[in-house]
Amino acid sequence: MTRVGWLKVVIFPVCLVPLARLVWNATQANLGANPIEAITHSTGDWTLRLLLVTLAITPLRKLTGQPWLIGLRRMFGLFAYFYGCLHFLTYIWLDQGFNVHSMAKDVYKRPFITMGFTAFVLLAPLAVTSTRKMIQRLGGRRWQWLHRLIYVSAAVAIVHFTWAMKKDHHRPIEYGIVLALLLGYRVVVWAVPALAGKRKRAAAMADATGD
Ligand code: HEM
């Protein structure tokens, strides 16, 4: 088995530990005074953490010069979506009991729910098109463009988190800084060669015109 193959075998069960802990604590009646809130918070936290881990793979790969790391990105992305589904399900099932009227009222009362829903919906096409077959069908460039939705989803998720925390914004700010660094890295990587190209073209033009 390849290095990525072995790492996946280890990382897969590790990504299931937060779920296993929730299930264990639920069976032990150890989720605190408000178990639904505890499940909502834990699944929300892990969705966001795994989104950030997914976004960290490309910078890590480039900065360390380890191209094989890219082989882990899909698994982290799918686990982020998995925890997102559990988070969403906790809300519509355990919290709202599939009551559409109550959900509509809640969305009106707490706008952060709409933000969470937007972040979640944006991840769905990425999960659906994550297979090799779909990459081939869409073509590399189109697939890459579509998968940039993860940037929007992560940014909207930070807004969702910030609005959900009425008083203490420490944690959303910390997560927001991590996201800003991960997205900032991409902007720099994109802008620096573009700027270098622009300078080169300006120099060539100056040479040609004798300025
Ligand atoms: C990519 C999608 C999403 C991410 C990354 C996300 C992330 C989070 C995070 C980090 C929290 C705070 C957890 C904590 O306090 O430790 C949270 C709370 C919450 N989220 Fe989400 N969320 C997403 C989608 C959704 C969706 C689709 C819904 C419902 C439709 C939702 C409903 C909630 C609720 C009700 C809370 C609890 C807020 C409170 O305690 O007052 N989230 N979410």
Coordinates of all heavy atoms in Angstrom, one line a residue, residues 32-87:
G32 N -24.4 16.4 29.5 CA -24.8 17.6 30.2 C -26.3 17.8 30.3 O -27.1 17.0 29.9
A33 N -26.6 19.0 30.8 CA -28.0 19.3 31.0 C -28.8 19.4 29.8 O -30.0 19.2 29.7 CB -28.1 20.7 31.8
N34 N -28.2 19.8 28.6 CA -28.9 20.0 27.4 C -28.2 19.1 26.3 O -27.3 19.6 25.6 CB -28.9 21.4 27.0 CG -29.9 21.7 25.8 OD1 -30.2 20.8 25.0 ND2 -30.3 22.9 25.7
P35 N -28.5 17.8 26.2 CA -27.8 16.9 25.3 C -27.9 17.4 23.8 O -27.0 17.3 23.1 CB -28.5 15.6 25.5 CG -29.3 15.7 26.7 CD -29.6 17.1 27.0
I36 N -29.1 18.0 23.4 CA -29.3 18.4 22.0 C -28.3 19.5 21.7 O -27.6 19.5 20.6 CB -30.7 18.8 21.7 CG1 -31.6 17.5 21.9 CG2 -30.9 19.3 20.3 CD1 -33.1 17.8 21.7
E37 N -28.2 20.4 22.6 CA -27.2 21.5 22.4 C -25.8 21.0 22.4 O -25.0 21.5 21.5 CB -27.4 22.5 23.6 CG -26.7 23.9 23.4 CD -26.9 24.8 24.6 OE1 -27.9 25.4 24.6 OE2 -26.0 24.8 25.5
A38 N -25.5 20.0 23.2 CA -24.1 19.5 23.2 C -23.8 18.8 21.8 O -22.7 19.0 21.3 CB -24.0 18.5 24.3
I39 N -24.8 18.1 21.3 CA -24.6 17.4 20.0 C -24.5 18.5 18.9 O -23.6 18.4 18.0 CB -25.8 16.4 19.7 CG1 -25.8 15.3 20.8 CG2 -25.6 15.8 18.3 CD1 -27.1 14.4 20.7
T40 N -25.3 19.5 18.9 CA -25.3 20.6 17.9 C -23.9 21.3 18.0 O -23.3 21.5 16.9 CB -26.4 21.6 18.2 OG1 -27.6 21.0 18.3 CG2 -26.5 22.7 17.1
H41 N -23.4 21.6 19.2 CA -22.2 22.3 19.2 C -21.0 21.4 18.8 O -20.2 21.9 18.0 CB -21.9 22.8 20.7 CG -22.8 23.9 21.1 ND1 -22.7 24.5 22.3 CD2 -23.8 24.5 20.4 CE1 -23.6 25.5 22.3 NE2 -24.3 25.5 21.2
S42 N -21.0 20.1 19.2 CA -19.9 19.3 18.8 C -19.9 19.0 17.3 O -18.8 19.2 16.7 CB -20.0 17.9 19.6 OG -19.1 17.0 19.1
T43 N -21.0 18.7 16.7 CA -21.1 18.5 15.3 C -20.7 19.7 14.5 O -20.0 19.7 13.4 CB -22.4 17.9 14.8 OG1 -23.5 18.7 15.3 CG2 -22.6 16.5 15.3
G44 N -21.2 20.9 15.0 CA -20.9 22.2 14.3 C -19.4 22.4 14.3 O -18.8 22.8 13.3
D45 N -18.8 22.3 15.5 CA -17.4 22.5 15.7 C -16.6 21.6 14.7 O -15.6 22.0 14.1 CB -16.9 22.2 17.1 CG -17.3 23.3 18.1 OD1 -17.6 24.4 17.6 OD2 -17.3 23.0 19.3
W46 N -16.9 20.3 14.7 CA -16.1 19.4 13.8 C -16.3 19.6 12.3 O -15.4 19.4 11.5 CB -16.4 17.9 14.2 CG -15.6 17.6 15.5 CD1 -16.1 17.5 16.7 CD2 -14.2 17.5 15.6 NE1 -15.1 17.3 17.6 CE2 -13.9 17.3 16.9 CE3 -13.2 17.5 14.6 CZ2 -12.6 17.1 17.4 CZ3 -11.9 17.3 15.1 CH2 -11.6 17.2 16.5
T47 N -17.5 20.1 12.0 CA -17.7 20.5 10.5 C -16.7 21.6 10.2 O -16.0 21.5 9.2 CB -19.2 21.0 10.3 OG1 -20.1 20.0 10.8 CG2 -19.4 21.2 8.8
L48 N -16.7 22.6 11.0 CA -15.8 23.7 10.7 C -14.3 23.3 10.8 O -13.5 23.7 9.9 CB -16.1 24.9 11.7 CG -15.4 26.2 11.4 CD1 -15.7 26.7 10.0 CD2 -15.9 27.3 12.4
R49 N -13.9 22.6 11.8 CA -12.5 22.1 11.9 C -12.1 21.4 10.7 O -11.0 21.6 10.2 CB -12.4 21.3 13.2 CG -12.4 22.1 14.4 CD -12.3 21.2 15.7 NE -12.6 22.0 16.8 CZ -13.2 21.5 17.9 NH1 -13.5 20.3 18.0 NH2 -13.4 22.3 19.0
L50 N -13.0 20.4 10.3 CA -12.6 19.6 9.1 C -12.6 20.4 7.8 O -11.8 20.1 6.9 CB -13.5 18.4 9.0 CG -13.2 17.3 10.1 CD1 -14.3 16.4 10.4 CD2 -11.9 16.5 9.8
L51 N -13.4 21.4 7.7 CA -13.4 22.3 6.6 C -12.0 23.0 6.5 O -11.4 23.1 5.4 CB -14.5 23.3 6.6 CG -15.8 23.1 6.0 CD1 -16.7 24.2 6.2 CD2 -15.6 22.8 4.5
L52 N -11.6 23.4 7.7 CA -10.3 24.1 7.7 C -9.1 23.2 7.5 O -8.2 23.6 6.8 CB -10.1 24.9 9.1 CG -11.1 26.0 9.4 CD1 -10.9 26.6 10.7 CD2 -11.0 27.1 8.3
V53 N -9.2 22.0 8.0 CA -8.1 21.0 7.7 C -8.1 20.7 6.2 O -7.0 20.7 5.6 CB -8.4 19.6 8.5 CG1 -7.5 18.6 8.0 CG2 -8.3 19.9 10.0
T54 N -9.3 20.6 5.5 CA -9.3 20.4 4.1 C -8.6 21.5 3.4 O -7.8 21.3 2.4 CB -10.8 20.3 3.6 OG1 -11.5 19.3 4.4 CG2 -10.9 19.9 2.2
L55 N -8.9 22.8 3.8 CA -8.3 23.9 3.2 C -6.8 24.1 3.5 O -6.1 24.8 2.8 CB -9.1 25.2 3.6 CG -10.4 25.4 3.0 CD1 -11.2 26.5 3.7 CD2 -10.3 25.8 1.5
A56 N -6.4 23.4 4.5 CA -4.9 23.5 4.9 C -4.1 22.6 4.0 O -2.8 22.7 4.0 CB -4.8 23.2 6.4
I57 N -4.7 21.6 3.4 CA -3.9 20.6 2.7 C -3.0 21.2 1.5 O -1.8 20.9 1.4 CB -4.8 19.5 2.1 CG1 -5.5 18.7 3.2 CG2 -4.0 18.5 1.2 CD1 -4.6 17.8 4.0
T58 N -3.6 22.1 0.7 CA -2.9 22.6 -0.4 C -1.7 23.5 0.1 O -0.6 23.3 -0.4 CB -3.8 23.5 -1.3 OG1 -4.8 22.5 -1.9 CG2 -3.1 24.2 -2.4
P59 N -1.9 24.4 1.0 CA -0.7 25.2 1.5 C 0.4 24.3 2.1 O 1.5 24.4 1.8 CB -1.3 26.1 2.6 CG -2.7 26.2 2.3 CD -3.1 25.0 1.6
L60 N -0.1 23.3 2.9 CA 0.9 22.3 3.5 C 1.7 21.6 2.4 O 2.9 21.4 2.5 CB 0.1 21.3 4.3 CG 0.8 20.7 5.5 CD1 1.2 21.8 6.5 CD2 -0.1 19.7 6.2
R61 N 0.9 21.2 1.4 CA 1.6 20.4 0.3 C 2.6 21.3 -0.4 O 3.7 20.8 -0.7 CB 0.5 20.0 -0.7 CG 1.0 19.4 -2.0 CD -0.2 19.0 -2.9 NE -0.9 20.2 -3.4 CZ -0.8 20.7 -4.6 NH1 0.1 20.1 -5.4 NH2 -1.5 21.7 -5.0
K62 N 2.2 22.5 -0.7 CA 3.2 23.4 -1.4 C 4.4 23.8 -0.5 O 5.5 23.8 -1.0 CB 2.4 24.6 -1.9 CG 1.5 24.3 -3.1 CD 0.9 25.5 -3.7 CE 0.0 25.1 -4.9 NZ -0.9 26.2 -5.3
L63 N 4.1 24.2 0.7 CA 5.1 24.7 1.6 C 6.1 23.6 2.0 O 7.3 23.8 2.2 CB 4.5 25.3 2.9 CG 3.8 26.6 2.6 CD1 3.0 27.0 3.9 CD2 4.7 27.7 2.1
T64 N 5.6 22.3 2.1 CA 6.5 21.2 2.5 C 7.1 20.5 1.3 O 8.0 19.7 1.4 CB 5.8 20.2 3.4 OG1 4.7 19.7 2.6 CG2 5.3 20.8 4.7
G65 N 6.6 20.8 0.1 CA 7.0 20.1 -1.1 C 6.7 18.6 -1.1 O 7.5 17.8 -1.5
Q66 N 5.5 18.3 -0.5 CA 5.1 16.8 -0.4 C 3.8 16.7 -1.2 O 2.7 16.8 -0.7 CB 4.8 16.5 1.1 CG 6.0 16.7 2.0 CD 7.1 15.6 1.8 OE1 6.8 14.5 1.3 NE2 8.3 16.1 2.0
P67 N 3.9 16.4 -2.5 CA 2.7 16.4 -3.4 C 1.7 15.3 -3.0 O 0.5 15.5 -3.2 CB 3.3 16.1 -4.8 CG 4.7 15.7 -4.6 CD 5.2 16.2 -3.2
W68 N 2.2 14.2 -2.3 CA 1.3 13.1 -2.0 C 0.2 13.5 -1.0 O -0.9 12.9 -0.9 CB 2.0 11.9 -1.4 CG 2.9 12.3 -0.3 CD1 4.2 12.7 -0.3 CD2 2.5 12.3 1.1 NE1 4.7 12.9 0.9 CE2 3.7 12.7 1.8 CE3 1.4 12.0 1.8 CZ2 3.6 12.8 3.2 CZ3 1.4 12.1 3.2 CH2 2.5 12.5 3.9
L69 N 0.4 14.7 -0.2 CA -0.6 15.1 0.8 C -1.9 15.4 0.1 O -3.0 15.3 0.8 CB -0.1 16.4 1.4 CG 1.0 16.2 2.6 CD1 1.5 17.5 3.0 CD2 0.3 15.5 3.8
I70 N -1.9 15.7 -1.2 CA -3.2 16.0 -1.9 C -4.2 14.8 -1.8 O -5.4 15.0 -1.8 CB -2.9 16.5 -3.3 CG1 -4.1 17.4 -3.8 CG2 -2.7 15.4 -4.3 CD1 -4.1 18.7 -3.2
G71 N -3.6 13.6 -1.7 CA -4.4 12.4 -1.6 C -5.3 12.3 -0.4 O -6.2 11.5 -0.3
L72 N -5.0 13.2 0.6 CA -5.8 13.2 1.8 C -7.0 14.2 1.8 O -7.9 14.1 2.6 CB -5.0 13.5 3.0 CG -3.8 12.6 3.3 CD1 -2.9 13.1 4.4 CD2 -4.2 11.2 3.6
R73 N -6.9 15.1 0.8 CA -7.9 16.3 0.8 C -9.3 15.8 0.7 O -10.2 16.3 1.4 CB -7.5 17.2 -0.3 CG -8.2 18.5 -0.2 CD -7.7 19.5 -1.2 NE -7.9 19.0 -2.5 CZ -7.6 19.7 -3.6 NH1 -7.0 20.9 -3.5 NH2 -7.7 19.2 -4.8
R74 N -9.6 14.9 -0.2 CA -10.9 14.4 -0.5 C -11.6 13.8 0.8 O -12.7 14.1 1.1 CB -10.9 13.4 -1.6 CG -12.3 12.9 -2.0 CD -12.2 12.1 -3.3 NE -13.4 11.4 -3.4 CZ -13.5 10.0 -3.3 NH1 -12.4 9.4 -3.0 NH2 -14.6 9.4 -3.4
M75 N -10.8 13.0 1.5 CA -11.3 12.3 2.7 C -11.7 13.3 3.8 O -12.8 13.3 4.4 CB -10.3 11.3 3.3 CG -10.9 10.4 4.3 SD -9.8 9.1 4.7 CE -8.6 9.9 5.7
F76 N -10.8 14.4 4.0 CA -11.2 15.4 5.0 C -12.4 16.2 4.6 O -13.3 16.5 5.4 CB -10.0 16.3 5.2 CG -8.9 15.7 6.0 CD1 -7.6 15.6 5.6 CD2 -9.1 15.3 7.3 CE1 -6.6 15.1 6.3 CE2 -8.1 14.7 8.1 CZ -6.8 14.6 7.6
G77 N -12.5 16.5 3.3 CA -13.6 17.2 2.8 C -14.9 16.5 3.0 O -15.9 17.0 3.4
L78 N -14.9 15.1 2.7 CA -16.1 14.3 2.8 C -16.5 14.2 4.3 O -17.6 14.2 4.6 CB -15.9 13.0 2.2 CG -16.0 13.0 0.6 CD1 -15.6 11.6 0.0 CD2 -17.3 13.4 0.1
F79 N -15.5 14.1 5.2 CA -15.8 14.0 6.6 C -16.4 15.3 7.1 O -17.3 15.3 7.9 CB -14.5 13.7 7.4 CG -14.5 12.2 7.7 CD1 -13.4 11.4 7.2 CD2 -15.4 11.6 8.5 CE1 -13.4 10.0 7.4 CE2 -15.4 10.2 8.8 CZ -14.4 9.4 8.2
A80 N -15.9 16.5 6.5 CA -16.5 17.8 6.9 C -18.0 17.8 6.5 O -18.9 18.2 7.3 CB -15.8 18.9 6.2
Y81 N -18.3 17.2 5.3 CA -19.7 17.2 4.9 C -20.5 16.2 5.7 O -21.6 16.5 6.1 CB -19.7 16.8 3.4 CG -21.1 16.8 2.8 CD1 -21.8 18.1 2.7 CD2 -21.8 15.7 2.4 CE1 -23.1 18.1 2.2 CE2 -23.0 15.8 1.8 CZ -23.7 17.0 1.8 OH -25.0 17.1 1.3
F82 N -19.9 15.1 6.1 CA -20.5 14.1 7.0 C -20.9 14.7 8.3 O -22.1 14.6 8.7 CB -19.6 12.9 7.2 CG -20.0 11.9 8.2 CD1 -21.2 11.2 8.0 CD2 -19.3 11.7 9.4 CE1 -21.6 10.2 8.9 CE2 -19.7 10.8 10.3 CZ -20.9 10.1 10.1
Y83 N -20.0 15.5 8.9 CA -20.4 16.1 10.2 C -21.4 17.2 10.0 O -22.2 17.5 10.8 CB -19.1 16.6 11.0 CG -18.4 15.5 11.7 CD1 -17.4 14.8 11.2 CD2 -18.9 15.0 12.9 CE1 -16.8 13.7 11.8 CE2 -18.4 14.0 13.6 CZ -17.3 13.3 13.1 OH -16.7 12.2 13.7
G84 N -21.3 17.9 8.8 CA -22.3 18.9 8.5 C -23.7 18.3 8.4 O -24.7 18.9 8.9
C85 N -23.8 17.1 7.8 CA -25.1 16.4 7.7 C -25.6 16.1 9.1 O -26.8 16.2 9.4 CB -24.9 15.1 6.9 SG -24.6 15.4 5.1
L86 N -24.7 15.6 10.0 CA -25.1 15.2 11.3 C -25.6 16.5 12.1 O -26.6 16.5 12.8 CB -23.9 14.6 12.1 CG -23.4 13.2 11.6 CD1 -22.3 12.8 12.5 CD2 -24.6 12.2 11.7
H87 N -24.9 17.6 11.9 CA -25.2 18.9 12.5 C -26.6 19.4 12.0 O -27.5 19.7 12.8 CB -24.1 19.9 12.1 CG -24.2 21.2 12.7 ND1 -24.1 21.4 14.1 CD2 -24.2 22.5 12.1 CE1 -24.2 22.7 14.3 NE2 -24.2 23.4 13.2

